[in-house]
Every structure is written in structure tokens, then in C-alpha cells.
């Protein structure tokens, strides 16, 4: 499959025409971003309670909430791994408790706040990829962070937090448009044994963040632990710049869809690097009313990443992260009267490894069998915005599978009917 990075440029131009360069004055209230997994533009009551009046005496506050995703699903054998291609006609079925998070946040002072979140380390139910059933798991600490707002232009966030150089990797689970996160945003940062020693996309470190140019320009720059086996590893450095052409986009965890609340058109670019590894990305997000019926959401990104070719240094990623490009696109339309949102998604992970990265494996074979792409779509029904909703999705994942006569493009399917409830 061929890839065209210029696709993002075309999307960007289309978005600019839809947005029409509208300007709205920024709201003058201050928000504590860490207290919300739900975007403030949707959860306005929470934002008002947290911000308060500068003239009123300060009182510490605390909030407790939860987010749950559970689904009935079916997945064709081979969806998670092409090695199971010989049984591609068989389907595994399951009722699954996928996420069960407890959220705790608090305002400790006028400028200081904290956020903590737990989650399940693995889903409860039949694991579709293995067929094994788990009936209980112990929760893990997912997020644990403290934020201090020195000013609107400079804030520090310290602790365990989501780490990414692109928008989709910094989305909150409650604000997703599709049924789940993308397949390729955390390919090397998901688990402890991943190349970057991640924790479901989280890492420990300190992140600086601020807003300039009337809140239209956001920057993020942080240093994190990354991969570390002896305490002497170079720090992982992650940065991002984003410019909002319409309403300021100030949520700490971005929304995947805002259901027409406000007008957002944001372009961003970022980097992620440690040792011989680096990842460069650019992304665009549009969410605004379009027509009388409802609102359009578009989310697109392009990444180039590689572990480099240095195979001698101790913190080389050359044989852990092959050179590759990742493309991502989500497009949906929210019909406000029936509260329905159809959406489509496309993702590509195209591996084009360098010879030094394959460690003796023929490059052609390695690239063919590890590249894959995802095409899917679904329909969401919102009982109460992101508070309670139902999502039906069908997703396919395609690989080049090696057979006796050569390579063949194989496609495997997955069906989810997922319910979400969220309160914070």
C-alpha cells in the first residue's frame, strides 16, 4: 500500500475552508485542567465550580468520579496477530469489562491541583486474542500528577501522566469519538516491556505547559524517564506546539469530539526522542457546527519514527523501533436532534526499516509481515453526551501474511457494542 504524506496538507486546506477563519474572544475564567477528563467545553458546571472567584476565600476541594467501558464483542482469529491467519474464518465472542477507572482530583490551593486515576491492567472477560477468561484483576495506578499554575503562560505538571507528541495520544478516554484509541499511537509505550517502558501511554516526569497569543498558541515541553535499565539513561524529551485558529483549546486531555460545543480548529506538531529513537509528528483537529443538523469532527495525524541505526550504544533503539510512518484519520458527524454520530476511521503503520534494524532478518520479509492498516466505522448514540453513551463499531485490520506461494493480503474483522458511563 502506498502512502502520501501530502494527504494531511489537503485535509488542512479543506479544514481551513470549513472553519472560515472565525474569531471568538477567549473566555476570561481560569480552569484547573487536571480535574477534568471530560473537556471543559462540555462539562461547564465542573469548570465553573473549580474556577471560582478570585475575590472569594479559598477552600480546598476534592472530586471523585469513574469511567467505565464494557462491551459485547466478536473478533476474527488473526485480528491481533497474523500468525493465526489459518483460522481466519473463526470468531471469538466475549462480554468484557474493558475499562473501570476511579478518578480522584482536587484543588489544593488557588494555583495547585492534583489528579489520580486507577485502571484495570487487563480486561475482565474472555481475552479475544487468546481465548482465556479472567474473572478478576487488581487495579493499577494509571495517573498520578500535580499541577502548579504559575501563570497562564507557564504551568508545571509533575508525576505519572500521558506522554505523546500528537493530539490523539493526549486524548482522554471519556472524550473518544471512536470505540477506542488508535492502534498505532502507543506502539512502543504501552507496557512495561515495551521499548519505552510505558504504562498504558504514561511515563514519569515533569511537563511544562502554557498559552500565548490570546490563548491561541499552546506549548508543551517535558522530560520523562523513558527506557531506563541502570539509572543512567538519557532522559526522554517530548515537545508539542499547537495553534487554535478559532476557540482556544485548553483541555489538558484533549477531546476526540466536542459534539458541536464551541468551534475548534487546531493544528499541532511535535517530537518525541530518547537515545537513538525519535518521532516527529503533525496533526489537525476540527470540531464545529456544520449546517442546521449538527456538527463535523475531523481528526488527522502523520508520524515519522525510527530507532536509528546506531546499534552499539547502550541506549540504542535501532532493533526495537524500525523506521516507519503512521497515518491516522477519523471523521464523524453529530446529529444533535437524534443524538447520533456516525464515524469512520483509517490508520496505517507502514514499516520501512533500515538494514541495521532488522538484525539479520531480510528487510523485505520484516516490513511485509509487520506493516498493517486499519479501516473501521461505527455509530454512537449519546444518552447524555459523554456521560452515558452507546457505541456500535466494526473494524478490520489487514496484514501481508506469508503463505507457501508468497504473500497475501489478509483482512480480519472485529465487532464491538460498547457502553460508556462517566462522571466527574
Amino acid at each position: 500500500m502506498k502512502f502520501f504524506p501530502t494527504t494531511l496538507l489537503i485535509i488542512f486546506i479543506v479544514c481551513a475552508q470549513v472553519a472560515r477563519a472565525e474569531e471568538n474572544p477567549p473566555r476570561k475564567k481560569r480552569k484547573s485542567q487536571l480535574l477534568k477528563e471530560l473537556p471543559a467545553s462540555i462539562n461547564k458546571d465542573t469548570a465553573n465550580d473549580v474556577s471560582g472567584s478570585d475575590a472569594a476565600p479559598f477552600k480546598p476541594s476534592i472530586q471523585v468520579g469513574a469511567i467505565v467501558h464494557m462491551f459485547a464483542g466478536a473478533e476474527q482469529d488473526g485480528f491481533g496477530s497474523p500468525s493465526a491467519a489459518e483460522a481466519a474464518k473463526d470468531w471469538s465472542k466475549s462480554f468484557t469489562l474493558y475499562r473501570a477507572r476511579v478518578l480522584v482530583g482536587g484543588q489544593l490551593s488557588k494555583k495547585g491541583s492534583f489528579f489520580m486515576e486507577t485502571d484495570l491492567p487487563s480486561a475482565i472477560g474472555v481475552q479475544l486474542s487468546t481465548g482465556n477468561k479472567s474473572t478478576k484483576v487488581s487495579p493499577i495506578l494509571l495517573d498520578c500528577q500535580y499541577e502548579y499554575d504559575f501563570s497562564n503562560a507557564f504551568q508545571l505538571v509533575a508525576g505519572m501522566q500521558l506522554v505523546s507528541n500528537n493530539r490523539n495520544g493526549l486524548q482522554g478516554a471519556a472524550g473518544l469519538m471512536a470505540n477506542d484509541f488508535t492502534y498505532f499511537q502507543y506502539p512502543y509505550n504501552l507496557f512495561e516491556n515495551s521499548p519505552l517502558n510505558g504504562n498504558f501511554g504514561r511515563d514519569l516526569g515533569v511537563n511544562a505547559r502554557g498559552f500565548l497569543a490570546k490563548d491561541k498558541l499552546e506549548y508543551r515541553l517535558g522530560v520523562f524517564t523513558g527506557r531506563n535499565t541502570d539509572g543512567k539513561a538519557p532522559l526522554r524529551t517530548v515537545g508539542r506546539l499547537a495553534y487554535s485558529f478559532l476557540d482556544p483549546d485548553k483541555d489538558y486531555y484533549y477531546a476526540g469530539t466536542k459534539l458541536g460545543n464551541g468551534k475548534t480548529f487546531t493544528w499541532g506538531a511535535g517530537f518525541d526522542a530518547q537515545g537513538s529513537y525519535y518521532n516527529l509528528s503533525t496533526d489537525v483537529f476540527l470540531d464545529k457546527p456544520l449546517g442546521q443538523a449538527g456538527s463535523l469532527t475531523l481528526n488527522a495525524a502523520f508520524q515519522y519514527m525510527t530507532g536509528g541505526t546506531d546499534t552499539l550504544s547502550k541506549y540504542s533503539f535501532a532493533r526495537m523501533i524500525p523506521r516507519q510512518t503512521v497515518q491516522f484519520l477519523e471523521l464523524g458527524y453529530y446529529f444533535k436532534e437524534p443524538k447520533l454520530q456516525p464515524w469512520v476511521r483509517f490508520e496505517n503503520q507502514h514499516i520501512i526499516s533500515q538494514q541495521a534494524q532488522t538484525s539479520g532478518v531480510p528487510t523485505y520479509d520484516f516490513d511485509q509481515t509487520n506493516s498493517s492498516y486499519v479501516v473501521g466505522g461505527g455509530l454512537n448514540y449519546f444518552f447524555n453526551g459523554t456521560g452515558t453513551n452507546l457505541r456500535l463499531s466494526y473494524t478490520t485490520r489487514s496484514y501481508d501474511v506469508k503463505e507457501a506461494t508468497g504473500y497475501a493480503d489478509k483482512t480480519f474483522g472485529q465487532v464491538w457494542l460498547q457502553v460508556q458511563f462517566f462522571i466527574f
Side-chain angles (χ1 to χ4, degrees):
M1 191 166 189
K2 297 183 179 180
F3 304 88
F4 302 93
T6 54
T7 301
L8 281 181
L9 179 60
I10 296 172
I11 292 172
F12 184 86
I13 294 171
V14 171
C15 291
Q17 294 299 317
V18 175
R20 298 177 184 175
E22 300 180 42
E23 293 286 340
N24 288 334
R27 288 179 248 179
K28 294 184 178 180
K29 63 182 179 181
R30 179 181 167 274
K31 303 173 186 175
S32 176
Q33 299 300 329
L34 291 184
L35 297 186
K36 301 175 291 299
E37 182 115 346
L38 183 67
S41 57
I42 300 174
N43 193 3
K44 294 181 179 178
D45 292 337
T46 299
N48 290 331
D49 290 342
V50 171
S51 61
S53 170
D54 291 337
F58 174 79
K59 292 182 180 180
S61 61
I62 191 168
Q63 289 179 261
V64 178
I67 176 172
V68 171
H69 287 154
M70 48 190 175
F71 66 84
E75 184 175 286
Q76 200 169 19
D77 294 345
F79 184 89
S81 172
S83 61
E86 65 277 5
K89 294 183 179 180
D90 295 331
W91 289 75
S92 300
K93 298 167 286 293
S94 176
F95 295 100
T96 303
L97 179 59
Y98 190 54
R99 286 187 181 90
R101 300 181 178 181
V102 176
L103 295 76
V104 181
Q107 194 73 26
L108 303 175
S109 65
K110 286 187 176 181
K111 294 188 175 184
S113 59
F114 79 95
F115 178 73
M116 295 178 63
E117 182 177 22
T118 66
D119 200 7
L120 304 175
S122 60
I124 296 177
V126 176
Q127 308 299 305
L128 295 178
S129 58
T130 64
N132 299 323
K133 181 181 179 181
S134 61
T135 57
K136 59 181 180 180
V137 296
S138 299
I140 61 171
L141 188 63
L142 193 63
D143 297 274
C144 185
Q145 53 205 69
Y146 174 78
E147 177 184 350
Y148 192 86
D149 295 354
F150 292 90
S151 68
N152 188 57
F154 183 65
Q155 303 138 34
L156 281 180
V157 184
M160 181 75 76
Q161 56 193 284
L162 266 177
V163 177
S164 181
N165 55 334
N166 66 80
R167 183 190 179 92
N168 187 260
L170 292 168
Q171 286 182 195
L176 296 172
M177 180 168 65
N179 61 318
D180 202 6
F181 291 99
T182 71
Y183 286 88
F184 308 127
Q185 296 305 317
Y186 306 118
Y188 305 104
N189 191 39
L190 193 57
F191 302 116
E192 184 179 358
N193 60 358
S194 300
L196 293 168
N197 292 160
N199 178 33
F200 293 92
R202 277 77 175 170
D203 204 350
L204 277 164
V206 179
N207 199 21
R209 180 178 183 242
F211 295 89
L212 307 168
K214 297 182 180 180
D215 288 345
K216 295 302 183 74
L217 180 65
E218 177 196 13
Y219 72 88
R220 301 189 188 210
L221 181 62
V223 288
F224 302 93
T225 307
R227 183 174 187 83
N228 198 314
T229 59
D230 59 1
K232 299 179 177 63
L235 291 173
R236 179 184 177 190
T237 306
V238 184
R240 172 178 167 81
L241 278 175
Y243 188 83
S244 296
F245 295 90
L246 302 179
D247 292 347
D249 193 11
K250 301 189 70 174
D251 299 316
Y252 188 76
Y253 292 145
Y254 297 121
T257 180
K258 294 189 176 183
L259 305 180
N261 289 276
K263 300 172 183 178
T264 305
F265 177 35
T266 302
W267 172 77
F271 70 92
D272 183 0
Q274 183 184 18
S276 64
Y277 153 78
Y278 64 92
N279 179 333
L280 304 176
S281 69
T282 185
D283 56 80
V284 63
F285 178 80
L286 173 70
D287 189 290
K288 72 183 296 289
L290 186 64
Q292 297 297 316
S295 58
L296 177 74
T297 299
L298 184 146
N299 196 355
F302 176 83
Q303 295 184 76
Y304 172 86
M305 70 183 83
T306 179
T309 57
D310 177 10
T311 59
L312 300 177
S313 65
K314 188 167 186 178
Y315 282 94
S316 168
F317 290 83
R319 293 181 179 164
M320 299 179 187
I321 302 176
R323 181 177 60 175
Q324 62 195 270
T325 59
V326 172
Q327 292 174 309
F328 159 71
L329 173 67
E330 282 182 351
L331 181 65
Y333 190 87
Y334 176 63
F335 294 90
K336 58 185 177 182
E337 289 300 327
K339 299 182 179 180
L340 291 172
Q341 184 183 50
W343 56 268
V344 293
R345 168 189 279 181
F346 172 75
E347 300 176 61
N348 260 321
Q349 183 184 36
H350 180 49
I351 295 177
I352 41 177
S353 60
Q354 295 167 279
Q355 190 64 44
Q357 299 175 329
T358 58
S359 188
V361 178
T363 304
Y364 180 79
D365 288 351
F366 181 86
D367 294 350
Q368 286 287 103
T369 57
N370 286 278
S371 297
S372 67
Y373 63 93
V374 173
V375 178
L379 182 66
N380 302 335
Y381 176 71
F382 295 91
F383 297 95
N384 178 31
T386 57
T388 314
N389 52 66
L390 191 66
R391 304 164 187 267
L392 177 65
S393 64
Y394 177 70
T395 303
T396 64
R397 188 167 181 178
S398 301
Y399 306 84
D400 277 331
V401 178
K402 191 173 184 179
E403 297 181 332
T405 57
Y407 289 93
D409 187 54
K410 298 280 187 176
T411 299
F412 311 94
Q414 180 193 74
V415 179
W416 278 14
L417 178 61
Q418 176 178 280
V419 63
Q420 168 180 303
F421 63 85
F422 169 72
I423 186 170
F424 194 44

